[in-house]
């Protein structure tokens, strides 16, 4: 093969490495890729090594965006090898009347950041919009000032961006109060609503008795006058309520003349100055109609609300969307209550909304869970109406499909003890950064006589260990005091002796590392190269996948992701 062909191969290998791992590739990684794919070049190792440096220099001169474009144009198969995704093939049930496209919405309350429970509605709606085409509306439902956290407006939008939802437009209900007021006036004119000034407890008694309150039979003109008095602050909080006319004989008391508007003065709303606010069932119907929502997917805990909302649709003569109600999803193992989370943060129990003991999406992100994994796990659950328990194992399995092919491997030694290995000459271990990807290259660990070993694995029952990628070590015990000596490099001998294969680190070349789990922190040490992985998920061998959270002079802090 001509030298020009070899240069081209080296350039493409260097380019692929740079695109996949970022930065400038190491010569050893590029040479390893070429030798693995083209063993015929092995007799020309020196030439390959020299030309690899030229290829790396050429790649280093290309901007990161152009690298991707060049790789895709010149070697599409190498590009596809990087960007091939583990897409979930779960097919959701068809939606009725969706052939011409859909308009769907995700409607969180800004009381705090989104959590794993919110992801179900968000992802299912998103999947159907992608399946049929159409619009996906993010609707911030903030007409109850008692449930509004001013910071949550941005928190929710950040969580939406993290999930990668295909939102086409965003509306905020507090900015739409004049629309709701106008529709309320129209509904009163149609005779579908009235202003009730009854004492709340007295109204409950009448409702239970299936009896109309005196306010129900007032004229349209009287009700419109009372409505204006609600708006102009004549009435105080608790003195007047707009109610929807329904069936007073309905077997469910909650369906009988339910409230649509109320007066609230405390706490003040962070975005608007208002005295009268719509309740959820009215504002939801108004917006679903005005925004053209065609399909609504939500939990079956909203079935009663769906029944209430049909009365409003019928009064206006509006078309009712297609509804799908999925079963309840129990989620154990994390805190999901917004009020409980906020209290814990204020009291110092939790470090913030992204504390890994919480079930927020930002806590999952901090642990190294991919939004694609969340999406795939939710799609696997689907929209069945059976109540289920959320499976963390399924989420972790989906995440492992994503991170395992790209996460570099490193040694982490928990609770380290120092061991002087007698009789051992200096050695250099060459460990693969990724056992399934030779192109990632290797890392080197230099043994110079003293190592760090995991303390929990050095016990009196253990008389030999195999230091992974290095050699065997015999352990002699004098009471509880061990001494260590070199025992050769034979892996078969270690296996015959049933010696455990353990992680280790050169005592002279390691970094303090704290691994934080949901159960607490583990002190240890890791390879210095881990510092280069800030913000990425790596695998600590024989421990699990972790996300490198912070790197500083005092070492590394990592969060445990999963096995």
């Amino acid at each position: 093969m001509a030298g020009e062909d070899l240069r081209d191969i080296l350039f493409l290998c260097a380019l692929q490495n740079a695109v996949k791992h970022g930065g400038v590739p190491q010569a050893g990684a590029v040479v390893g890729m070429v030798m693995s794919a083209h063993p015929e070049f092995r007799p020309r190792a020196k030439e390959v090594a020299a030309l690899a440096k030229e290829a790396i220099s050429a790649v280093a001169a290309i901007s990161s965006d152009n690298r991707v474009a060049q790789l895709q144009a010149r070697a599409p198969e190498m590009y596809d090898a990087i960007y091939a995704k583990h897409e979930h093939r779960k097919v959701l049930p068809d939606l009725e009347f969706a052939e011409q496209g859909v308009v769907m919405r995700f409607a969180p309350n800004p009381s705090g950041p989104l959590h794993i429970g919110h992801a179900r509605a968000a992802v299912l709606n998103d999947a159907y919009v992608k399946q049929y085409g159409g619009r996906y509306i993010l609707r911030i439902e903030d007409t109850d000032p008692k449930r509004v956290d001013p910071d949550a407006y941005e928190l929710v939008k950040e969580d939406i961006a993290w999930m990668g939802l295909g939102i086409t437009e965003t509306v905020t209900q507090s900015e739409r109060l004049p629309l709701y007021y106008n529709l309320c006036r129209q509904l009163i004119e149609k005779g579908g609503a009235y202003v009730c000034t009854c004492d709340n407890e007295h109204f409950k008694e009448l409702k239970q008795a299936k009896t109309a309150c005196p306010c129900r039979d007032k004229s349209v003109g009287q009700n419109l006058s009372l409505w204006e008095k609600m708006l102009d602050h004549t009435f105080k909080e608790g003195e007047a309520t707009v109610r929807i006319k329904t069936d007073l004989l309905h077997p469910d008391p909650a369906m009988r003349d339910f409230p649509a508007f109320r007066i609230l003065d405390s706490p003040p709303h962070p975005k608007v100055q208002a005295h009268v606010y719509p309740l959820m069932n009215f504002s939801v119907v108004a917006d679903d109609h005005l925004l053209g929502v065609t399909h609504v997917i939500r939990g079956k805990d909203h079935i009663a609300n769906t029944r209430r909302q049909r009365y409003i649709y019928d009064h206006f003569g509006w078309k009712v969307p297609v509804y799908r109600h999925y079963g309840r999803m129990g989620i154990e193992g994390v805190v999901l209550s917004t009020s409980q989370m906020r209290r814990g943060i204020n009291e110092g129990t939790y470090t913030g909304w992204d504390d890994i003991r919480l079930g927020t999406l930002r806590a999952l992100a901090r642990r190294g869970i991919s939004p694609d994994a969340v999406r795939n796990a939710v799609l696997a659950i689907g929209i069945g109406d059976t109540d289920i328990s959320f499976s963390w194992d399924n989420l972790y399995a989906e995440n492992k499909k994503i991170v395992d092919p790209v996460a570099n491997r490193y040694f982490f030694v928990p609770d380290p003890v120092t061991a002087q290995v007698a009789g051992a000459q200096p050695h250099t271990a060459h460990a693969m950064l990724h056992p399934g990807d030779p192109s990632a290259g290797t890392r080197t660990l230099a043994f110079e006589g003293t190592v760090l070993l995991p303390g929990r694995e050095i016990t009196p029952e253990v008389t030999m260990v195999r230091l992974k990628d290095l050699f065997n070590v015999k352990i002699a015990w004098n009471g509880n005091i061990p001494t260590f000596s070199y025992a050769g490099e034979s892996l078969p001998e270690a296996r015959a002796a049933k010696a455990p294969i353990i992680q280790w680190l050169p005592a002279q070349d390691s970094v303090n590392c704290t691994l934080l789990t949901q159960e607490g922190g583990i002190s240890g040490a890791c390879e210095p190269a881990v510092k280069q992985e800030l913000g990425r998920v790596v695998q600590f061998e024989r421990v699990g996948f972790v996300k490198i959270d912070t790197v500083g002079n005092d070492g590394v802090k990592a969060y445990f992701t999963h096995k």
Side-chain angles (χ1 to χ4, degrees):
M1 183 174 287
E4 197 61 36
D5 294 332
L6 175 56
R7 282 188 171 86
D8 192 53
I9 291 170
L10 283 162
F11 174 79
L12 292 176
C13 286
L15 186 61
Q16 185 192 40
N17 186 286
V19 170
K20 183 173 183 178
H21 300 290
V24 179
Q26 297 295 314
V30 176
V31 171
M33 288 177 68
V34 173
M35 294 303 193
S36 176
H38 300 277
E40 67 273 16
F41 289 143
R42 288 174 184 169
R44 302 164 59 185
K46 290 185 179 179
E47 180 186 2
V48 171
L51 293 176
K53 294 179 181 179
E54 295 180 12
I56 291 169
S57 296
V59 169
I62 304 172
S63 69
S64 57
D65 290 341
N66 286 335
R67 289 175 189 172
V68 175
Q70 283 203 32
L71 184 66
Q72 188 174 18
R74 296 186 58 178
E77 72 286 351
M78 298 176 82
Y79 173 88
D80 291 341
I82 297 174
Y83 291 101
K85 293 183 178 179
H86 297 273
E87 294 182 357
H88 198 92
R89 301 300 180 183
K90 176 74 175 182
V91 177
L92 294 171
D94 292 336
L95 291 178
E96 302 90 336
F97 312 113
E99 295 77 11
Q100 303 303 313
V102 297
V103 178
M104 308 189 79
R105 43 81 164 178
F106 174 53
N109 180 279
S111 57
L114 302 182
H115 56 64
I116 187 67
H118 292 112
R120 190 176 188 189
V123 167
L124 290 172
N125 280 284
D126 186 65
Y128 274 121
V129 174
K130 286 181 169 63
Q131 181 173 329
Y132 290 105
R135 295 157 50 212
Y136 191 15
I137 301 165
L138 170 62
R139 189 169 71 213
I140 306 297
E141 297 192 343
D142 64 340
T143 56
D144 183 356
K146 295 179 180 179
R147 299 182 61 201
V148 173
D149 176 354
D151 295 333
Y153 290 96
E154 286 305 313
L155 295 176
V156 168
K157 290 179 181 179
E158 290 168 2
D159 292 339
I160 293 288
W162 181 78
M163 281 195 288
L165 301 181
I167 299 297
T168 58
E169 58 201 274
T170 299
V171 297
T172 303
Q173 286 191 329
S174 63
E175 298 171 356
R176 299 166 64 81
L177 292 179
L179 294 173
Y180 307 140
Y181 295 160
N182 184 49
L183 287 173
C184 181
R185 186 175 292 105
Q186 292 180 37
L187 191 56
I188 291 172
E189 291 172 345
K190 290 175 178 291
Y194 62 96
V195 176
C196 176
T197 57
C198 294
D199 175 77
N200 195 44
E201 290 302 317
H202 179 55
F203 180 85
K204 286 183 179 179
E205 293 173 0
L206 295 173
K207 182 175 68 172
Q208 292 293 334
K210 301 180 181 179
T211 302
C213 81
C215 305
R216 200 176 199 264
D217 293 328
K218 290 178 180 176
S219 69
V220 169
Q222 288 175 309
N223 278 307
L224 288 174
S225 176
L226 292 171
W227 170 241
E228 293 301 327
K229 289 182 178 180
M230 286 182 67
L231 293 177
D232 68 15
H233 293 243
T234 300
F235 289 115
K236 296 181 176 62
E237 187 170 327
E239 293 183 346
T241 303
V242 176
R243 297 189 179 278
I244 303 297
K245 286 187 178 180
T246 67
D247 179 6
L248 291 177
L249 300 180
H250 196 286
D252 182 359
M255 296 292 150
R256 302 171 195 161
D257 284 18
F258 59 87
F261 282 82
R262 61 178 174 175
I263 296 171
L264 283 175
D265 290 317
S266 179
H269 199 286
K271 292 181 74 73
V272 295
Q273 290 185 338
H275 180 62
V276 177
Y277 293 92
L279 279 89
M280 183 270 290
N281 281 308
F282 188 90
S283 60
V284 161
V285 171
D287 281 333
D288 283 351
H289 172 73
L290 295 173
L291 298 170
V293 172
T294 60
H295 296 75
V296 176
I297 297 177
R298 56 187 180 182
K300 68 180 185 182
D301 53 315
H302 281 286
I303 288 177
N305 288 325
T306 298
R307 293 170 180 156
R308 294 185 188 97
Q309 290 163 20
R310 285 183 182 274
Y311 283 104
I312 302 174
Y313 279 106
D314 290 343
H315 284 312
F316 278 113
W318 292 340
K319 183 179 179 180
V320 179
V322 175
Y323 290 95
R324 284 286 187 91
H325 298 94
Y326 51 73
R328 294 177 178 85
M329 185 173 74
I331 304 174
E332 297 182 355
V334 293
V335 180
L336 294 177
S337 164
T338 301
S339 59
Q340 188 177 344
M341 287 190 281
R342 180 178 288 106
R343 183 168 58 253
I345 292 170
N346 292 337
E347 294 174 352
T349 303
Y350 307 122
T351 58
W353 292 113
D354 59 356
D355 189 296
I356 61 172
R357 292 167 290 180
L358 305 180
T360 60
L361 296 181
R362 55 194 56 225
L364 296 182
R366 191 164 199 183
R367 289 172 55 191
I369 301 296
S370 162
D372 286 339
V374 174
R375 181 182 186 86
N376 292 341
V378 167
L379 290 178
I381 294 169
I383 60 170
D385 58 7
T386 302
D387 294 347
I388 61 166
S389 295
F390 179 76
S391 171
W392 290 101
D393 288 341
N394 287 351
L395 174 62
Y396 298 155
E398 292 292 348
N399 199 62
K400 187 172 182 178
K401 293 177 187 177
I402 295 167
V403 300
D404 187 45
V406 296
N408 287 332
R409 273 54 170 173
Y410 296 98
F411 289 164
F412 169 75
V413 177
D415 303 319
V417 296
T418 303
Q420 179 78 36
V421 182
Q425 299 298 315
H427 280 65
T428 299
H430 298 278
M432 297 186 70
L433 268 172
H434 196 297
D437 182 12
S439 70
T442 60
R443 61 198 202 272
T444 59
L445 296 95
F447 168 78
E448 296 181 4
T450 306
V451 294
L452 301 180
L453 303 179
R456 66 188 66 178
E457 299 194 53
I458 307 302
T459 61
E461 302 83 42
V462 179
T463 57
M464 177 184 282
V465 294
R466 170 79 179 189
L467 305 189
K468 191 174 186 300
D469 298 311
L470 194 63
F471 51 60
N472 305 330
V473 174
K474 283 187 177 180
I475 306 177
W477 291 88
N478 182 9
N480 290 324
I481 301 175
T483 57
F484 305 88
S485 60
Y486 176 72
E489 300 182 24
S490 172
L491 182 57
E493 286 184 15
R495 287 174 174 164
K498 297 183 179 179
I501 301 175
I502 66 174
Q503 315 309 308
W504 63 278
L505 289 168
Q508 80 284 354
D509 192 20
S510 64
V511 172
N512 290 333
C513 180
T514 301
L515 178 58
L516 298 170
T517 74
Q518 290 176 297
E519 290 73 38
I522 301 172
S523 297
C526 64
E527 298 178 39
V530 171
K531 285 189 170 184
Q532 302 171 17
E533 300 279 4
L534 180 62
R536 299 191 187 102
V537 174
V538 303
Q539 187 185 66
F540 283 164
E541 297 190 36
R542 299 181 67 240
V543 175
F545 293 95
V546 304
K547 184 176 181 182
I548 308 306
D549 185 75
T550 56
V551 172
N553 294 331
D554 56 347
V556 171
K557 182 168 70 173
Y559 284 100
F560 183 75
T561 308
H562 51 68
K563 289 288 189 181

